[in-house]
Amino acid sequence: AAPRCYVSKQLSTVRVQKGEPAELSCTVSKEDVTGTWFKDGLKLTSMEGVVFEKKGLVHKLIINKAGDIHTGRYRFQGGDIKTEASVFVEDPPQVDKVVLKNLTSVPTVAKAGQNMKVKIPFEGRLPMRAAWLKDRMELADSTRIRVDTTETFTMLSISSCDRKDCGDYKVRLKNDSGVLEINLKLMVLDKPQPPEGPIKIVENSANDITIQWKAPKDDGGKAVQRYIVERQQSGKEWVTLGETPRSCTTFTTNKVEEDTSYYFRVRAVNTEGTSDALESDEVKAASRASPGAPDPPEIVSASRDTITISWRAPCKTGTSKIVGYMVQKRKKGTITWLPVNTGPIAERKLKVSSLKKGVQYEFRVAAVNAAGVGEASEPSQPAFARDSNKSPGQVQDLKVSSSDSTSITLTWKQSEAKDGIDVKGYEVEMRSSNSLKWIKCNALPIETSTYTVKGLQAKEKYFLRVRALNDSGPGEVVEIEASLGPAVPVVSPRLLIDDTVKSCLVIRAGDAIRVNIPFEASPDPVVSWLKDGLPLPNRATINTKDGTTQLLVVAAEYNDSGTYTVELQNALGKRETFTFQVQITDIPQPPGSIRLEENVPNTVTVIWEPSASEKWESNLYYTVLKRESEKGVWHVVGDLIYTNKFTFTKLISGRDYYFRVVAKNDLGASGPSETVKPWRIQKPKANFQVRPQKYRGVNQHQPPRILVPLKPHVVTTGSECRMSCAVGGCPTPRITWYKDNRDLSKDPAYFCTNDFGVCSLVVLGVSKQDEGEYMVEATNEAGCAYSRAFLTIRG
């Protein structure tokens, strides 16, 4: 018997973008097969844009430029052989590249109080769903905000823009073939907010008042250029005192009178205008008052003919700032104070010279301000004008407090001062065990009683000694011996990444983000964490201890999603980094309501409202389940569905079908949404004849008549107004619109339509000039009819 013919290569399903070429091909085992192509069960003899081709054993159906008409189920059949496959023509949302660049490259700018419209034309398979989002929330129509979407564009309209409208917007275009998201930025310019208060009084004296404020919280979108300062004396008008640049938030005025009350106010200015004023409380210019007495001066040092003293500023400075100090001296046992300086000195330290050797002196100080010389201090302790001829004593309790492989830290107690001998500092020296030469460790006297000697050799023995210093020279030395331990091995920073450290984390919203990164390094490295290349937010906590650095965020939020980087670097200069992704998500919310449609005979299309989680979840998809009785078992019929509809084809007539849809992501599935009523395809019934009634015809001569009259309208400035009425008559009447008896037919500001007798007049962005009486007139050869209504504009 002759071998039977068969298909050696079956047709395979093809997905193609709209406008692109596509090809279906199969291979049979015999060359003499003459096949026939079918589409959706119908035989194809010819089709626009389709070519049939046969080369040897290969049969091809070639689509030159795929369009919506080419979507369907194709079958090749020849004799006893056949093979089937589907062609899906994808037509996702698209926006012109030039329009897209203009929208996304620079912000859309509007001024406060003006109307703003952003129109985005698009292409793609209908129906197209367009959503405008701000801060992840979809915008809904309100008194100021309106979203209009047609088959060719979507438009956002905002009337009377406000600063709160600033921000990042997202436009999501979605159809059966895909999703397109466009990110926009809107900027609204306005005058600044008032400077942030309260106004503080920095200085208040009988001569001048200095005020201070803070920059506005919101500069209106334009940098503040300057501040205007005004003053009002009680019972008088406001007077402008002057202006300050934007970098200066203080102002001093000397136009004040003693014991007089004033009010101050400050305004911020940018290119859009001047802010409202920030006003101060009542400010009373102080009376003139001199400073209080400082504490008694202290003796710093003494020599044969000089004594150096120092003092502190007084607690009470008076009604103006201190400009200097006056110093007086006297011999102990006398009552006469003699001036040391002829004019105020600004520093609080003075070297008094030309003193008599061996004489004991006392000193006192008085502060000076604009009101004059203040009260003098109490006398200082008596001091002799003489040279110190005794060296300081030994330091006490010298010991090694800590050491490592390269350094030794010494501590000691200060040497006791005797007979008026003061210690001016300390000196540290060292030598190694194989050298007899002492090396000085510090260039200047050490003022504290601790010192760390660095740069030493590991496993080496050292001798160290410390002595006190004063004006007469060094004191008696104290020596100590110390040995260093072995050198700590130097290890370059290295991250110990294993299977417990993942490169991508999916965290449920509200749960903690806890990432532990082990490492090794010597010396200890500097550990830095970044999120998206920037410092971590304040809610994140970093803890580095015992070779592990930990990132902790107690309660994760959606804006914690991003790229995190940990970086190590130590003294060797080598840098080690590790980067991982964090995605904050949650189990999706259930889909919305479900409706069923029969778009193709003997099939059912399940259409559902999207889950609310689509607004922030990028990996969300849907699963469709069905059962064939009210208490039957659910079976999955569609999975990994990224659109909001699914067509089920394997229906059996006479059976009831129930459908369920759940939303899924990486964390799990949402609750289900289910159909309420079953879906049934009725079994075909026997044909029957219907006897048609005799058609009586239509009266071809009917005068126009107003079926639904116009109604008065009241709208606000900038809004859209649509006026409509219904008209009948035969032949079809001609419609003419008038405003205050003026024909509007050729006025481009008005848009007129007539759809099967429903007549509409649309006024876009009405203004006060559009207010008045509007009339629609319908005329034909049988007569005329009209209707009037008044349009009132508010605001």
Side-chain angles (χ1 to χ4, degrees):
R4 187 175 65 87
C5 182
Y6 60 91
V7 179
S8 60
K9 181 182 177 182
Q10 302 281 343
L11 294 177
S12 58
T13 296
V14 174
R15 291 184 179 274
V16 61
Q17 293 287 333
K18 187 175 183 179
E20 298 294 324
E23 180 181 288
L24 290 172
S25 67
C26 63
T27 305
V28 298
S29 59
K30 290 187 177 182
E31 192 171 343
D32 59 352
V33 173
T34 301
T36 305
W37 290 89
F38 296 83
K39 180 180 182 295
D40 298 330
L42 300 176
K43 183 178 179 181
L44 290 176
T45 56
S46 64
M47 186 177 181
E48 183 180 352
V50 175
V51 177
F52 307 106
E53 185 178 281
K54 178 180 181 301
K55 290 185 179 180
L57 304 177
V58 180
H59 295 259
K60 293 183 179 181
L61 183 148
I62 301 173
I63 301 173
N64 295 325
K65 189 175 182 182
D68 292 337
I69 63 171
H70 300 118
T71 298
R73 188 74 178 174
Y74 290 81
R75 183 174 81 248
F76 176 80
Q77 185 171 338
D80 295 333
I81 64 173
K82 66 178 181 178
T83 175
E84 293 185 353
S86 296
V87 172
F88 296 95
V89 178
E90 306 287 358
D91 189 9
Q94 293 183 359
V95 175
D96 183 76
K97 292 182 179 179
V98 176
V99 175
L100 196 61
K101 182 178 180 182
N102 292 337
L103 288 171
T104 58
S105 60
V106 295
T108 300
V109 180
K111 291 192 175 184
Q114 293 184 347
N115 299 334
M116 187 277 303
K117 293 183 179 181
V118 180
K119 182 177 180 181
I120 303 179
F122 56 75
E123 297 178 351
R125 176 171 296 141
L126 301 176
M128 186 80 70
R129 181 174 179 265
W132 291 74
L133 295 90
K134 183 177 185 290
D135 300 328
R136 293 188 173 183
M137 298 300 294
E138 185 170 351
L139 296 177
D141 287 350
S142 65
T143 55
R144 292 192 316 108
I145 299 175
R146 177 170 175 173
V147 175
D148 295 301
T149 302
T150 68
E151 294 183 352
T152 58
F153 69 86
T154 180
M155 182 169 65
L156 173 66
S157 303
I158 303 178
S159 61
S160 187
C161 288
D162 191 89
R163 285 285 294 166
K164 64 184 179 182
D165 296 320
C166 292
D168 295 323
Y169 289 73
K170 177 179 288 187
V171 184
R172 181 177 293 153
L173 302 174
K174 184 175 183 181
N175 64 7
D176 291 345
S177 299
V179 179
L180 174 64
E181 291 187 346
I182 305 170
N183 294 313
L184 313 173
K185 184 179 288 292
L186 173 62
M187 181 180 294
V188 179
L189 303 181
D190 197 1
K191 65 181 183 182
Q193 289 185 354
E196 188 177 357
I199 293 178
K200 294 182 179 180
I201 307 304
V202 178
E203 185 174 338
N204 183 359
S205 69
N207 297 320
D208 52 51
I209 296 176
T210 300
I211 62 173
Q212 185 181 59
W213 61 91
K214 294 181 180 179
K217 287 185 177 180
D218 184 3
D219 62 4
K222 287 286 189 178
V224 173
Q225 296 178 331
R226 63 187 186 278
Y227 296 97
I228 299 174
V229 182
E230 298 174 291
R231 188 200 69 189
Q232 181 190 52
Q233 186 175 340
S234 296
K236 297 184 179 181
E237 295 183 353
W238 287 96
V239 177
T240 300
L241 296 178
E243 299 181 354
T244 68
R246 64 183 180 185
S247 58
C248 180
T249 55
T250 60
F251 185 86
T252 301
T253 175
N254 55 9
K255 299 177 182 179
V256 296
E257 298 178 7
E258 186 178 347
D259 289 333
T260 303
S261 295
Y262 298 96
Y263 295 90
F264 295 89
R265 67 185 185 188
V266 184
R267 304 176 189 269
V269 181
N270 68 4
T271 56
E272 298 300 315
T274 303
S275 73
D276 295 334
L278 169 67
E279 190 168 331
S280 72
D281 296 329
E282 182 181 2
V283 182
K284 189 173 184 179
S287 302
R288 296 181 181 272
S290 56
D295 292 337
E298 297 179 356
I299 305 301
V300 178
S301 64
S303 65
R304 115 175 28 176
D305 61 352
T306 61
I307 296 177
T308 302
I309 63 173
S310 66
W311 59 91
R312 296 179 181 177
C315 297
K316 297 180 179 179
T317 60
T319 54
S320 61
K321 64 182 180 180
I322 294 175
V323 297
Y325 298 89
M326 300 298 294
V327 182
Q328 294 176 319
K329 68 180 179 180
R330 74 179 179 184
K331 296 178 183 180
K332 184 179 180 181
T334 65
I335 60 173
T336 303
W337 289 97
L338 299 176
V340 174
N341 53 316
T342 56
I345 58 173
E347 295 185 1
R348 295 195 296 272
K349 187 175 183 181
L350 179 65
K351 186 176 182 180
V352 183
S353 58
S354 301
L355 301 177
K356 292 184 178 180
K357 181 179 179 181
V359 177
Q360 204 170 12
Y361 289 91
E362 294 176 329
F363 301 90
R364 71 179 185 182
V365 180
V368 182
N369 70 1
V373 180
E375 184 180 352
S377 69
E378 291 295 322
S380 68
Q381 292 293 328
F384 282 100
R386 66 183 180 187
D387 291 329
S388 176
N389 54 9
K390 292 185 179 181
S391 300
Q394 289 183 341
V395 298
Q396 306 294 318
D397 197 17
L398 176 64
K399 62 182 179 181
V400 176
S401 63
S402 65
S403 66
D404 55 26
S405 60
T406 60
S407 65
I408 298 173
T409 299
L410 301 175
T411 59
W412 61 87
K413 293 182 180 178
Q414 295 183 2
S415 57
E416 297 180 359
K418 298 180 180 179
D419 298 328
I421 301 172
D422 294 331
V423 175
K424 303 302 182 184
Y426 299 91
E427 180 180 77
V428 178
E429 295 178 307
M430 71 148 194
R431 70 176 179 87
S432 63
S433 59
N434 54 10
S435 175
L436 297 177
K437 183 179 180 181
W438 289 93
I439 300 174
K440 193 174 181 179
C441 299
N442 55 300
L444 298 175
I446 302 167
E447 296 182 357
T448 61
S449 57
T450 182
Y451 186 77
T452 300
V453 183
K454 299 180 180 180
L456 306 179
Q457 297 294 322
K459 296 183 179 182
E460 185 69 50
K461 182 186 293 185
Y462 288 89
F463 297 94
L464 301 107
R465 64 187 186 185
V466 180
R467 65 180 120 205
L469 305 173
N470 71 356
D471 294 337
S472 299
E476 189 175 350
V477 73
V478 178
E479 188 173 323
I480 195 172
E481 179 182 324
S483 298
L484 298 183
V488 178
V490 179
V491 179
S492 298
R494 186 166 71 92
L495 293 164
L496 306 178
I497 306 300
D498 53 20
D499 295 338
T500 62
V501 182
K502 299 180 180 179
S503 60
C504 183
L505 299 176
V506 179
I507 307 293
R508 187 193 299 267
D511 289 353
I513 303 175
R514 183 179 284 104
V515 180
N516 293 309
I517 306 292
F519 64 86
E520 62 178 11
S522 180
D524 290 338
V526 176
V527 181
S528 302
W529 283 83
L530 300 172
K531 176 183 180 291
D532 299 326
L534 299 173
L536 294 179
N538 294 332
R539 298 187 306 104
T541 303
I542 302 300
N543 184 21
T544 302
K545 183 179 180 182
D546 298 332
T548 301
T549 180
Q550 182 191 68
L551 166 68
L552 175 63
V553 179
V554 177
E557 300 177 358
Y558 287 108
N559 56 11
D560 290 322
S561 297
T563 302
Y564 289 78
T565 301
V566 58
E567 179 182 283
L568 306 180
Q569 187 172 10
N570 68 0
L572 293 178
K574 183 176 178 182
R575 181 177 299 172
E576 183 84 358
T577 62
F578 174 69
T579 300
F580 59 94
Q581 300 288 330
V582 174
Q583 175 66 43
I584 307 302
T585 184
D586 201 351
I587 294 176
Q589 297 185 25
S593 60
I594 301 175
R595 72 176 190 272
L596 305 176
E597 296 180 357
E598 186 179 7
N599 297 324
V600 178
N602 297 323
T603 67
V604 59
T605 299
V606 185
I607 304 173
W608 58 91
E609 294 295 324
S611 165
S613 300
E614 275 196 28
K615 297 176 182 177
W616 58 78
E617 179 61 66
S618 59
N619 296 324
L620 184 140
Y621 61 93
Y622 297 94
T623 298
V624 180
L625 305 93
K626 66 93 179 174
R627 66 182 181 188
E628 297 182 8
S629 65
E630 190 171 354
K631 297 183 179 180
V633 179
W634 290 102
H635 296 280
V636 176
V637 294
D639 198 9
L640 296 174
I641 302 171
Y642 291 90
T643 61
N644 298 127
K645 73 176 183 178
F646 173 78
T647 300
F648 182 61
T649 59
K650 300 178 181 179
L651 295 177
I652 300 176
S653 300
R655 291 189 182 180
D656 289 339
Y657 291 91
Y658 297 83
F659 292 92
R660 166 185 284 181
V661 181
V662 295
K664 294 182 178 180
N665 64 6
D666 296 336
L667 288 184
S670 71
S673 292
E674 299 180 4
T675 55
V676 178
K677 296 181 180 180
W679 178 270
R680 171 181 289 186
I681 296 181
Q682 301 293 337
K683 292 183 178 180
K685 297 182 180 180
N687 295 330
F688 64 92
Q689 293 183 350
V690 178
R691 180 175 297 175
Q693 296 182 354
K694 185 175 181 181
Y695 181 67
R696 294 183 300 176
V698 177
N699 184 359
Q700 299 295 325
H701 298 282
Q702 296 181 11
R705 61 188 184 278
I706 304 297
L707 303 178
V708 179
L710 293 175
K711 295 181 179 180
H713 285 68
V714 179
V715 296
T716 58
T717 303
S719 301
E720 176 184 293
C721 178
R722 180 183 296 270
M723 308 177 71
S724 300
C725 67
V727 177
C730 190
T732 302
R734 185 173 66 86
I735 304 301
T736 305
W737 287 86
Y738 298 87
K739 177 184 178 294
D740 297 330
N741 296 323
R742 179 172 62 87
D743 190 349
L744 303 179
S745 301
K746 296 182 180 181
D747 193 334
Y750 300 88
F751 181 65
C752 307
T753 61
N754 183 1
D755 296 326
F756 303 99
V758 178
C759 305
S760 298
L761 176 71
V762 180
V763 187
L764 296 173
V766 299
S767 61
K768 198 67 179 177
Q769 290 75 16
D770 294 317
E771 187 175 83
E773 185 184 67
Y774 288 76
M775 182 182 75
V776 59
E777 180 186 69
T779 59
N780 65 7
E781 60 189 31
C784 174
Y786 59 88
S787 177
R788 290 187 174 90
F790 199 86
L791 173 61
T792 303
I793 309 299
R794 287 184 179 176

